[in-house]
Amino acid sequence: MYEIVVSINIGIFILLSLSLNIITGYTGQPSLGHAAFFGIGAYTAAVATGKMGMSFWMALPAAFVITGLVGTLLGLASLRVKEDFLAITTIGINFVMVAIFHYTPYLGASFGMPVNKPLLAGKEMSNYHFLALVIILIVLVCLLSRRIERSWIGLALGGIRNNEEAAASVGIDVNRFKIIAFTIGTAIAGLTGAVYAHYMTFIYSSDFAFLTSITILSMLVVGGMGTIRGAIAGAVILGLAPELFRFISDYRMLVYGSILVLMMRFQPQGLLGNDSFVWTGIKRLRRLRAAGDSVMERGTGHGKG
Amino acid sequence: MLLQQIINGIVIGSVYALTAMGATLVYGILRILDIANAGAYAIGAYSGLFLYQTTGNLALSFLGATLLTGFFGTVVQKFLYLPLLEKPPLIPLIASIGLFIFIQDLLRLIAGPQIREFNARIPFESIRTADLTINSVWILIILLTTLLLLFLWYVLNKTKIGLAWRATAQDLEISTSMGVNVKKVVAFNFLLGYGFAAAAGVMIGLLYNSVFPTMGDVPAYKMLAIIVLGGLGNPLGTVVASLLIGLVETLVAGYIGFFLPRDAIAFVALIAILLIKPRGLMSKKA
């Protein structure tokens, strides 16, 4: 049972890390307030099922759409700000959102908000069901990310990340693509929030605080920004670390902080990002093996000839 | 009542100015958003408290905390920020957040999570009239802030290292090629910036009579709002923006009773202003 709980938690962080990857990894827009959108989705879903009597299965797409809409609006609003200014604006958005969750009586204010366990085929969903749901969502988000990576959208986003002016000069509508990335990324975070709220059955404003945004960003950074494997690996590593090393649980934030500092100082591409030492090692191994195979093939080819 | 609120606002604003000044100086010269500066603020408060408890001398504790934290700043720039100069801005930003988290947790582990009282004897009396009270701590804060800001103004505008600072802030590469010892300038910059943050930490410790590990949280993010409002990297703008935020917060919280807490006001103002002027209130044109 314990393994299931840990897996669901990590799964939720994988979803968040993948969704931030679309905004920060692919497009290069520093978003330091991702937890705000996670929270918007969670509160939207909680209101939808708790106050409006919608079913969980209706609340999921509702959270997806509404968070995506809010993300689009905030994305539109922050088009004028870039880099450092965008980073600060997103921190600001995070703080204001948490303050709103914390001070709105309708949302439970400082008491938090209870959420009902959702039903599946007439019965309460068990943790196994939640794990299955999370895994399905991860697969879908991975497929979507891959699709983005390999399509012209991905090329446009990469262009914006590397050099916005150059991208604009070859005719890429920079604003449009930034908004697309922002909308997709925030909508997925909102969907994740909806799952989280119903899995936890209780949400509280500080669940979505700046520290959560930092945790998500750390996962992406440690794994390797801009890659699907990196986003997943980071969430798994940082999600598992406190479980595997119980003795460090008191030093968790200390470890977090030092990992961030050391990674940025010595390995800013992340563990599995392109050009990171682990990934180049893996690639070299693969190439060696491929070279070995081709030598063998040539050998047999000669034999036939 | 209004006068009292205004004085409140000025006191808060001057502490904000000192807290944000460190980050402004760092941004001005390296174009790095230094969130860890708020960690320096907490280090300053703790070392100030410790020094006061061991020596019983407030001046000594101020001086010691400022120097100690300033020295810490020079170490940080040497090993963390200078090597990251060539990287995209997100990387030093994340590193500084990491450092900030690290400092806070280290303080918690060393000094414990509980709130510590900072009871110090202020060497002069409070001013009290029929409808106005000016606390002795407030007087101390306004005096010290004015002194430190005047000192900064003098250093930046009238000394050789100030000239080097201004040159480097305009263009790091060209200054290097013109023979400015940029490494020295940056080190000095961090000495000043972290020292200022430490002084602000001691003052806040005295003002609220409490020192705790996460005391840098709110200043960390508010400091960002302030330096952006002041037009990133502009020391004068920072002072104006700090006083503005201090006054607006106090007056809004005191009179209008905004439904969000006062710490959120700075961010609402920040977001609103950034959307109108994307490069800050007092920025020169992009």
Side-chain angles (χ1 to χ4, degrees), chain B residues 105-120:
Chain B
D105 219 42
L106 196 65
L107 287 175
R108 181 182 64 86
L109 289 169
I110 295 174
Q114 71 276 23
I115 295 178
R116 286 166 183 268
E117 286 189 11
F118 199 153
N119 267 321

Side-chain angles (χ1 to χ4, degrees), chain A residues 221-245:
Chain A
V221 163
V222 166
M225 256 190 260
T227 59
I228 298 172
R229 56 172 190 273
I232 297 177
V236 172
I237 293 169
L238 288 191
L240 267 184
E243 307 297 332
L244 291 180
F245 307 103

Side-chain angles (χ1 to χ4, degrees), chain B residues 44 72 81 86 92 110 127 129 160 186 234:
Chain B
F72 170 73
Y81 289 142
E86 302 297 311
I110 295 174
I127 298 172
T129 61
K160 218 173 160 192
V186 172
N234 176 350

